[in-house]
Amino acid sequence: RKEVEQDPGPFNVPEGATVAFNCTYSNSASQSFFWYRQDCRKEPKLLMSVYSSGNEDGRFTAQLNRASQYISLLIRDSKLSDSATYLCVVNSPGTYKYIFGTGTRLKVLA
Amino acid sequence: EPEVTQTPSHQVTQMGQEVILRCVPISNHLYFYWYRQILGQKVEFLVSFYNNEISEKSEIFDDQFSVERPDGSNFTLKIRSTKLEDSAMYFCASSGAGGRGGELFFGEGSRLTVL
C-alpha cells in the first residue's frame, strides 16, 4: 500500500459545484496532515492544515478520519480559479519527513 | 510576508557537470528540506536538515548529492555529477516545527535541465 494515496483525477466540475477529494494514508501513527495546492509548474502552496476536529476556511473544509486513515477536502461553490492540483501531505512518524500524495487534479469549467 | 527564495530559477547543464542550487529559508525556521518533482510526477522527498546535519534522506539522495548550510542563511543542494534523470524541478522548503505539525513553506523552485 502506498504511504499516501490520492485519486489523480481529473475532476471536471462546473462553476458553483461542490467537489470533494479523499486521501488515504498507510501509517496509523501519522499526526500531521495538510492540503496543498499546486498550479502548473509552480511550487506547492499550503491550503490548510487538517485538524482532528475538522476545520473550515471559507469555501474549504478539511476532515480527518483516523479510524479509516483518510483525510478529505471539500470545496464549495467552485471558482474557475480553484483549478489546480490538490496535494495531500502527511508526516512520516518518528521523522522530520513529509510525504506527498500524487495529487488530485481539479478543473472547474465555465 | 516571509518567504523562501531559491536561485537559479532555471539551470541548464551538461551531463556530468556539477550543479549547486541555492535556497534562503525563512529566517526563524529550523528545519530545511529539498524535494524534487520530475515533470508530470509527484513531489518526492530528498533530504531534511536540522541542527546543521542531515536528519533524513531518501534513496534518491545518493552519494552524488550533498547539502550544506554554509553561513547560517543559505541552504544549498549540490549534485556532483549530473545525470539526465536528474532533470526536474527542485523545491527547497523550510518549517518552524519539522515533522511535528509544522507546515512546509516552499520556494518557487529551481528547474534543472540536464542535456
Side-chain angles (χ1 to χ4, degrees), chain B residues 30-86:
Chain B
L30 301 175
Y31 302 84
F32 314 116
Y33 303 81
W34 284 100
Y35 283 79
R36 82 169 186 191
Q37 187 174 32
I38 295 169
L39 189 63
Q41 297 188 24
K42 65 183 282 188
V43 176
E44 299 176 289
F45 171 78
L46 290 179
V47 66
S48 60
F49 192 87
Y50 170 69
N51 202 24
N52 284 319
E53 60 183 23
I54 290 173
S55 44
E56 276 94 26
K57 57 184 180 179
S58 71
E59 292 169 356
I60 303 166
F61 195 90
D62 63 20
D63 292 344
Q64 293 300 313
F65 290 86
S66 62
V67 290
E68 200 175 38
R69 188 158 160 80
D71 57 11
S73 62
N74 290 285
F75 179 50
T76 62
L77 174 70
K78 182 192 289 187
I79 309 174
R80 243 179 296 279
S81 177
T82 49
K83 306 184 189 70
L84 295 176
E85 55 265 36
D86 294 328

Side-chain angles (χ1 to χ4, degrees), chain A residues 21-23 25 33 35 48-56 60-66 69-74 76:
Chain A
F21 313 131
N22 281 346
C23 164
Y25 59 96
F33 310 92
W35 284 103
M48 56 200 307
S49 304
V50 186
Y51 304 124
S52 298
S53 54
N55 47 306
E56 188 173 309
F60 299 86
T61 301
Q63 298 274 355
L64 167 63
N65 185 316
R66 285 197 184 276
Q69 292 180 217
Y70 74 85
I71 65 172
S72 63
L73 177 68
L74 181 80
R76 287 181 297 279

Side-chain angles (χ1 to χ4, degrees), chain A residues 2-4 31-32 34 36 38 41-46 49 51 87 89 91-92 94-103, chain B residues 31 33 35 37 39 41-43 45 48 50 55-56 89 91 95 97-109 111:
Chain A
K2 289 182 184 175
E3 289 179 286
V4 179
Q31 295 288 333
S32 303
F34 307 95
Y36 279 75
Q38 186 176 32
R41 296 187 172 232
K42 299 285 190 182
E43 77 275 24
K45 290 187 176 174
L46 179 68
S49 304
Y51 304 124
L87 306 173
V89 180
N91 80 302
S92 181
T95 77
Y96 297 117
K97 190 167 70 171
Y98 295 85
I99 306 297
F100 281 70
T102 53
Chain B
Y31 302 84
Y33 303 81
Y35 283 79
Q37 187 174 32
L39 189 63
Q41 297 188 24
K42 65 183 282 188
V43 176
F45 171 78
S48 60
Y50 170 69
S55 44
E56 276 94 26
M89 181 72 99
F91 292 111
S95 170
R100 287 138 177 88
E103 299 93 341
L104 292 177
F105 293 89
F106 285 85
E108 292 186 344
R111 180 169 299 284

